[in-house]
Amino acid sequence: MSAVALFLIFITGVYFWYQEKYKRYNELMDKIPCAKPHPILNHLLYFINKRPGEIFIILEKMAKDHGPVWKFQIPLSEQIVVHDPKIVEEILLSQKIIDKSMEYDFIIDWLGTGLLISTGSKWHKRRKIITPAFHFKILDQFVDIMNKNGDVFVEKLKHFEGREINIYPLISLYALDVVCESAMGYQLNAQTDEDSEYVKAVKEITELLFLRFFDTTKRIKFLYQFTSMYRREQQIIKTLHKFTESVISSRREHLKGHDVNANSTTANDLQNIDEIGMKKKTAFLDLLLQVQVNGQSLSDEGIREEVDTFMFEAHDTTSSAIAFTLLNLAKYKDIQKRVLEECEEILGDDLSQQPTMQDLNKMNYLEKVLKETLRLYPSVPFFARKLNTEFSTEGYTFPKGVSLTVAPYFMGRDPKLFPDPLKFDPSRFDDEKNIRLFSFVPFSAGPRNCIGQKYAMLEMKSIISKLVRNFEITVNKENEEPQICAQLILQSTNGINLSLKPRK
Ligand code: HEM
């Protein structure tokens, strides 16, 4: 028998083996609605050579035509997208569907398997350890950090004297300063020190992740590792890890010999650590280090994973939400006026008056504005879980192994769930009983919900109340509509271009 014949027999054998192995998977996938696929390339042709903003529009069209449960299949990524609140509820409340999909693997080299990505007993243990770091007493200390860095931001904006600027990069530096000081007790000064290696590295890694996300060949790790982009990524990750490690070891050194317990993060023994800019408010990192002291030890690598996860999760998500909220306030003057009135009612008109956590909690109208922004512009527009076992609900059976993508973005814009969905109307949140359960999940829900949501709300209220009190925010007509795109986080490809005119 010739070599060619043997080869053909081999290929046919592999084909039938594959068909048999994935028979059930394919049968179930065939029942999920989708856009017309190509016989070999499936849906790849819809996405190939498209810019991120265009990809987003294609996904929106697919959701409209085939939702609320539909699929797209491209090599190495088979996704079922779900925006039916009933099914979303079952997914998010399940104790079994807690594994993250392969898209999260792109950030593993940087974040390791920290809280965002880990699963099983590791995730359970870490979640238990980290939850106390978000106790309201600890959050209270972070408000000072938010206020202080907010003041730096206000001063910086005054230099632009009402000129139009893309405010997104500036917000991002503010958010980096806040999270770095809250998570590690380290004053990064990203807003003032433009040469910081770490800040440059965070910005660059975010851009690389974005590029990789939409490049089919670079999605394949085996091929990706031979590219110059991969080599650059590894260099940046080295810089990021070196920085976090140096802060952790410096902190550990300081804590050695100090009798520090979980309630003493503000006590004198944590003050005056200034070798590398450490300050007293280090609740998150201290907590991780103390767990080690108490026997349930976390390795240095484990601590670094969690600190890095916070740097990533808390920085771009809040930046996106702050930017879209400011855009909405600029677009809807009456809403901006109401926010200002509420701030003045709570804080008076003395601009040096800093809000306390209690003040921020009283800002109910601003909270509705933030929620309405997150309905239309959820910072995390999609998040995905991998099914480790077959799952049936509402007449669908989803096969084992597939990625289930929950889409807050599509739910927020569904007229069946939110009448006149494109209307920006904070009064939708006057009585949340009127909002269909699980149709508004910008922070996810259930066991793997966002652990930082209260922190995020405080930070967003702190900075937006500051900006509204200090500036009149306006936007030109041609910049009112953002061009949405999403890698992991929702952004506007044309920036968020605003003018901020000092009020006094
Ligand atoms: C507007 C701001 C934020 C939004 C919209 C947001 C949204 C989300 C969402 C949707 C998830 C679930 C992701 C998934 O299942 O893959 C999540 C998880 C998470 N978030 Fe946030 N987040 C925000 C801010 C923050 C902040 C400020 C922190 C930290 C201080 C944080 C830390 C985390 C962590 C650690 C997880 C993983 C939790 C787990 O799996 O147990 N987030 N966030």
Side-chain angles (χ1 to χ4, degrees):
M1 209 183 292
S2 74
V4 174
L6 272 176
F7 180 70
L8 286 178
I9 291 171
F10 174 73
I11 291 292
T12 316
V14 168
Y15 175 78
F16 282 111
W17 169 81
Y18 182 86
Q19 287 299 322
E20 198 45 41
K21 183 164 165 59
Y22 290 99
K23 199 167 153 212
R24 174 91 182 141
Y25 180 93
N26 291 331
E27 271 169 14
L28 295 175
M29 282 302 269
D30 284 349
K31 293 185 183 145
I32 308 288
C34 65
K36 196 166 184 285
H38 181 277
I40 296 170
L41 297 171
N42 264 326
H43 298 107
L44 186 62
L45 294 183
Y46 287 87
F47 301 108
I48 216 153
N49 285 334
K50 294 284 190 305
R51 289 196 306 268
E54 294 171 321
I55 292 178
F56 205 82
I57 293 168
I58 295 164
L59 291 173
E60 261 190 295
K61 177 152 175 22
M62 288 180 170
K64 215 175 202 168
D65 294 349
H66 308 286
V69 175
W70 54 285
K71 70 175 176 196
F72 67 87
Q73 293 172 289
I74 54 175
L76 298 172
S77 182
E78 307 226 328
Q79 311 261 340
I80 296 178
V81 185
V82 180
H83 35 109
D84 172 335
K86 185 75 204 64
I87 302 178
V88 168
E89 174 176 1
E90 291 211 30
I91 296 170
L92 297 185
L93 293 189
S94 163
Q95 295 287 344
K96 290 194 184 125
I97 311 175
I98 59 165
D99 288 359
K100 297 301 173 81
S101 71
M102 67 160 282
E103 276 67 32
Y104 294 77
D105 292 352
F106 293 171
I107 38 178
I108 277 193
D109 282 357
W110 175 20
L111 307 185
T113 46
L115 197 57
L116 178 69
I117 301 173
S118 59
T119 189
S121 64
K122 178 171 179 179
W123 170 74
H124 272 286
K125 190 174 154 202
R126 294 277 176 92
R127 180 93 190 187
K128 211 166 150 203
I129 290 169
I130 292 167
T131 297
F134 290 92
H135 188 276
F136 71 94
K137 280 190 187 149
I138 291 185
L139 289 180
D140 197 15
Q141 321 169 37
F142 295 143
V143 172
D144 288 347
I145 295 173
M146 295 164 186
N147 284 334
K148 186 186 72 181
N149 288 294
D151 286 342
V152 177
F153 192 21
V154 166
E155 285 313 308
K156 211 169 168 191
L157 287 173
K158 282 183 184 161
H159 295 301
F160 295 97
E161 290 180 356
R163 267 181 290 136
E164 184 176 279
I165 44 162
N166 174 12
I167 198 161
Y168 195 91
L170 302 178
I171 297 174
S172 177
L173 295 177
Y174 155 80
L176 257 185
D177 273 345
V178 174
V179 66
C180 193
E181 202 170 336
S182 314
M184 296 191 256
Y186 183 82
Q187 290 185 14
L188 188 59
N189 297 327
Q191 298 188 87
T192 47
D193 176 8
E194 288 174 9
D195 294 326
S196 157
E197 283 281 301
Y198 183 72
V199 175
K200 282 190 205 152
V202 173
K203 273 160 79 180
E204 209 181 332
I205 189 92
T206 320
E207 281 158 21
L208 287 188
L209 285 171
F210 179 88
L211 291 174
R212 186 174 174 206
F213 209 74
F214 289 108
D215 187 327
T216 317
T217 51
K218 295 200 174 83
R219 289 175 74 98
I220 306 167
K221 175 99 193 218
F222 177 73
L223 299 178
Y224 180 55
Q225 62 193 337
F226 297 109
T227 62
S228 57
M229 186 166 144
Y230 173 76
R231 287 191 292 279
R232 180 68 197 136
E233 185 198 280
Q234 293 304 308
Q235 274 171 355
I236 304 168
I237 290 174
K238 234 185 207 164
T239 308
L240 293 166
H241 284 171
K242 208 171 125 205
F243 175 82
T244 327
E245 278 158 8
S246 80
V247 178
I248 294 169
S249 81
S250 181
R251 187 83 204 126
R252 184 192 296 289
E253 275 310 301
H254 173 77
L255 289 183
K256 259 188 205 157
H258 285 69
D259 180 19
V260 185
N261 61 51
N263 295 323
S264 64
T265 46
T266 57
N268 292 341
D269 58 348
L270 295 186
Q271 291 180 358
N272 307 322
I273 317 152
D274 49 19
E275 317 99 86
I276 54 162
M278 290 288 227
K279 287 284 172 265
K280 62 176 179 173
K281 294 181 171 94
T282 52
F284 180 59
L285 179 52
D286 284 351
L287 184 103
L288 296 176
L289 289 162
Q290 283 159 34
V291 167
Q292 209 166 28
V293 174
N294 296 341
Q296 262 185 295
S297 86
L298 272 183
S299 66
D300 276 7
E301 195 189 343
I303 294 176
R304 195 196 67 209
E305 285 176 345
E306 298 306 344
V307 172
D308 285 340
T309 295
F310 270 51
M311 292 303 297
F312 169 73
E313 267 296 306
H315 143 240
D316 260 359
T317 48
T318 49
S319 302
S320 165
I322 293 165
F324 284 111
T325 305
L326 292 175
L327 178 66
N328 286 320
L329 291 177
K331 249 170 104 173
Y332 306 105
K333 295 268 164 49
D334 51 330
I335 295 177
Q336 184 176 159
K337 187 164 164 267
R338 245 187 104 176
V339 170
L340 175 64
E341 281 164 6
E342 180 181 74
C343 292
E344 288 182 343
E345 241 165 64
I346 296 167
L347 300 167
D349 55 10
D350 174 3
L351 287 180
S352 64
Q353 180 67 37
Q354 300 286 4
T356 60
M357 186 163 89
Q358 288 71 26
D359 293 329
L360 296 173
N361 285 337
K362 279 187 223 153
M363 295 179 182
N364 293 326
Y365 185 68
L366 177 52
E367 183 154 324
K368 288 178 206 166
V369 171
L370 287 164
K371 286 182 175 169
E372 181 64 346
T373 300
L374 287 169
R375 174 183 72 81
L376 281 169
Y377 305 101
S379 312
V380 185
F382 314 113
F383 47 90
R385 303 281 163 83
K386 188 173 158 212
L387 270 191
N388 283 333
T389 163
E390 207 168 283
F391 166 58
S392 298
T393 179
E394 303 290 306
Y396 296 96
T397 299
F398 303 128
K400 178 179 171 183
V402 79
S403 287
L404 276 183
T405 295
V406 174
Y409 183 89
F410 295 140
M411 287 197 287
R413 288 166 182 249
D414 182 342
K416 287 195 238 58
L417 301 173
F418 296 95
D420 197 1
L422 297 185
K423 182 173 177 210
F424 188 81
D425 180 6
S427 73
R428 290 178 205 272
F429 290 90
D430 281 351
D431 183 355
E432 293 198 24
K433 281 199 229 80
N434 298 331
I435 291 185
R436 169 102 184 260
L437 273 179
F438 291 86
S439 64
F440 177 69
V441 285
F443 293 105
S444 184
R448 290 215 80 153
N449 70 352
C450 173
I451 203 168
Q453 57 186 294
K454 289 203 176 93
Y455 175 102
M457 270 293 170
L458 287 173
E459 179 183 342
M460 294 187 294
K461 284 179 169 180
S462 158
I463 190 62
I464 287 168
S465 61
K466 230 174 234 308
L467 294 179
V468 168
R469 290 168 76 213
N470 279 279
F471 301 98
E472 185 192 342
I473 308 163
T474 55
V475 58
N476 283 333
K477 260 266 159 286
E478 67 270 20
N479 288 325
E480 278 189 354
E481 289 314 315
Q483 276 159 31
I484 301 294
C485 76
Q487 9 54 323
L488 295 169
I489 306 297
L490 197 81
Q491 290 198 3
S492 162
T493 51
N494 54 336
I496 300 284
N497 301 296
L498 304 174
S499 306
L500 288 93
K501 190 168 136 220
R503 289 192 191 272
K504 286 181 189 165

